[in-house]
Amino acid sequence: MIEESTGVGEKVAQARKLKGWTQARLSMETGLSTSLIQAVEQGRRAATPGYISACAKALRTSTAELLGQPFPPTTAEDRDLHGAIALLRNELAAYDLADDDIEVRPLRTLSNDAIQARRYRRDAAAPKLATILPPLVTEARALVHRSAGNERDQAFVLLAELYYNVRSLAHKMGYIDLAAASVDRMTWAANESGDQLWIAASQFHRASLLTNGGDWKTALTYLERCRAHLEQALGAGDERDLIAWGGLHLQSALASARAGSRDQADSHLAEAIETATRIGHDRDEVLVFGPTNTRIWSVSLAVEMMDGGEALKRAEELFIPAGTPRSRSGHHYIDLARAYLLHGDRTLALDALHTAKATAPSLTRFHPMVHETIRVLAREDARRTDTVRGFAAWCGIAPSV
């Protein structure tokens, strides 16, 4: 069992005491209420991503430090995952270097493998993705340096998606620095390709880095600038433009929610819902933008604003059809668990976590909000100690929760 016995609340308390700050001072520096800070530090409330990024920014530390990420490996499969991360880190460092010694298959063959990697990403199948990804990125990098014209553009689209996969794997494993580097490489490849949807996808994730770092105002300004380039083209109704427009509004909604601006978050969400309705399907494989994912986001946004009742109300109106990527449906059940916890229903919170586990095991196991949720359940509900602690052990959390 790993030595990961302290949650975010305890780490924040330690960091603020080292600075000589009281809870009142931290409240002043972050804009968070003193009562919330006290509740999180005492383990009575789970820290939200907004709470974590606000505290990290004020205390001059990182969100990864407060979360204890990356979580140390506890199984052989975990070690394989961490090993893949090391290979990918080297590959990202070599992004603009040609390698004449690598044998490269035709673009069509590589594209077929990339489609398989996409399936693993969408299904949150981290172990399978970690196996296929390192050599595939290396081969795609070599291909772009040997291509010209339209084939070069297509090779860069392929590489942009593979960097997207690296970002997804690194983020889920808690390697925040590598996830950030992946977004940089994704942005480079997307811009080289000239593909507007992949450029928008890179903008989406660049803004996510700002949002996760607590720089919400900068994220919103950047996203507004990105959408300005799309607005004139919307009248033509090109589906890829609509997907980019709607996806960027969702990211703006998240930044607004974490900044505490509910009206602004709801306005961006409404624009995204209208755009998704206009598209009318869930077939987008880049930003996964469509009616279903937008409704999943609506639940998540309510949780971000710590409104469990509204989140549960929105969840009641949500139907997740077959074929929805497990990465999205699994994330929904994690959000649902957080909503039930906010609403005071610990039994249903644990049930939702079990559903998340059954839907997307690796996503659930490494998700920091699952760790925060299960810690609160373990402290607050002694009657379910064995069940809750069994789930905590599966996540790799030490018994001292």
Side-chain angles (χ1 to χ4, degrees):
M1 190 62 61
I2 67 177
E3 293 298 325
E4 203 252 308
S5 59
T6 58
V8 170
E10 293 165 281
K11 290 186 175 74
V12 168
Q14 291 169 4
R16 71 167 176 81
K17 289 173 183 176
L18 285 172
K19 290 181 73 71
W21 287 6
T22 63
Q23 291 176 340
R25 172 67 184 276
L26 183 59
S27 173
M28 181 182 70
E29 296 286 344
T30 60
L32 302 166
S33 70
T34 305
S35 60
L36 176 61
I37 291 171
Q38 184 179 60
V40 172
E41 288 190 2
Q42 292 175 349
R44 294 183 287 107
R45 293 288 291 272
T48 66
Y51 179 100
I52 296 163
S53 57
C55 289
K57 188 175 182 181
L59 294 166
R60 300 295 190 269
T61 186
S62 67
T63 57
E65 181 71 21
L66 294 181
L67 288 165
Q69 291 181 307
F71 304 133
T74 62
T75 67
E77 184 175 79
D78 288 354
R79 294 185 188 92
D80 288 342
L81 282 168
H82 286 273
I85 291 294
L87 295 176
L88 291 168
R89 190 181 298 281
N90 290 340
E91 178 54 43
L92 290 186
Y95 76 102
D96 62 346
L97 302 177
D99 193 331
D100 296 333
D101 294 331
I102 296 174
E103 183 177 346
V104 178
R105 293 168 294 164
L107 176 62
R108 178 174 296 182
T109 304
L110 281 179
S111 296
N112 289 335
D113 283 357
I115 290 171
Q116 185 61 61
R118 178 193 304 163
R119 293 191 186 105
Y120 292 152
R121 184 192 77 237
R122 287 163 60 89
D123 284 340
K128 293 180 179 178
L129 183 59
T131 298
I132 194 175
L133 199 51
L136 188 54
V137 178
T138 299
E139 196 172 352
R141 169 172 62 88
L143 178 64
V144 300
H145 290 286
R146 302 180 193 179
S147 304
N150 184 59
E151 183 178 272
R152 180 179 182 273
D153 293 341
Q154 292 180 49
F156 268 115
V157 168
L158 172 67
L159 192 58
E161 178 164 9
L162 292 175
Y163 285 145
Y164 181 14
N165 290 340
V166 176
R167 179 262 167 204
S168 178
L169 183 64
H171 180 76
K172 287 178 175 59
M173 291 293 296
Y175 286 91
I176 307 304
D177 62 330
L178 186 64
S182 302
V183 173
D184 285 343
R185 303 298 184 262
M186 178 185 172
T187 300
W188 167 73
N191 288 334
E192 288 288 333
S193 76
D195 187 294
Q196 290 303 311
L197 184 51
W198 276 107
I199 290 172
S202 70
Q203 293 167 341
F204 178 97
H205 288 293
R206 184 180 176 187
S208 178
L209 293 174
L210 293 167
T211 297
N212 291 336
D215 205 347
W216 306 307
K217 182 178 179 180
T218 303
L220 288 166
T221 300
Y222 172 65
L223 288 161
E224 186 70 27
R225 189 181 78 190
C226 294
R227 286 195 302 273
H229 292 292
L230 285 169
E231 194 163 8
Q232 291 184 344
L234 292 178
D238 183 272
E239 189 172 280
R240 289 167 68 84
D241 289 336
L242 291 172
I243 289 168
W245 176 262
L248 294 175
H249 269 291
L250 284 179
Q251 192 60 243
S252 288
L254 179 60
S256 300
R258 292 193 181 169
S261 179
R262 180 162 191 154
D263 289 345
Q264 191 176 18
D266 286 343
S267 176
H268 285 296
L269 175 61
E271 183 69 34
I273 290 174
E274 180 181 340
T275 305
T277 301
R278 186 175 172 184
I279 292 171
H281 64 75
D282 297 303
R283 294 191 295 273
D284 168 45
E285 295 190 338
V286 177
L287 286 172
V288 201
F289 184 80
T292 298
N293 195 28
T294 302
R295 294 294 179 181
I296 288 174
W297 270 74
S298 75
V299 176
S300 183
L301 289 167
V303 174
E304 291 290 343
M305 293 181 283
M306 302 186 74
D307 190 342
E310 178 63 22
L312 294 174
K313 178 182 175 182
R314 293 177 182 182
E316 287 178 358
E317 301 169 353
L318 172 63
F319 170 72
I320 300 180
T324 298
R326 289 176 179 265
S327 58
R328 301 309 306 140
S329 52
H331 199 288
H332 169 66
Y333 290 113
I334 292 170
D335 286 333
L336 195 59
R338 296 171 62 199
Y340 279 126
L341 187 60
L342 285 169
H343 204 56
D345 195 328
R346 294 177 175 83
T347 299
L348 289 181
L350 184 60
D351 289 346
L353 287 181
H354 278 291
T355 303
K357 176 183 176 182
T359 303
S362 61
L363 169 68
T364 304
R365 186 162 184 267
F366 291 108
H367 201 294
M369 291 301 100
V370 171
H371 285 227
E372 281 297 293
T373 300
I374 205 69
R375 287 179 185 284
V376 173
L377 291 175
R379 285 183 172 92
E380 294 291 308
D381 198 345
R383 292 172 300 174
R384 297 294 296 275
T385 295
D386 291 343
T387 304
V388 170
R389 293 203 174 197
F391 197 98
W394 174 76
C395 287
I397 300 175
S400 57
V401 295

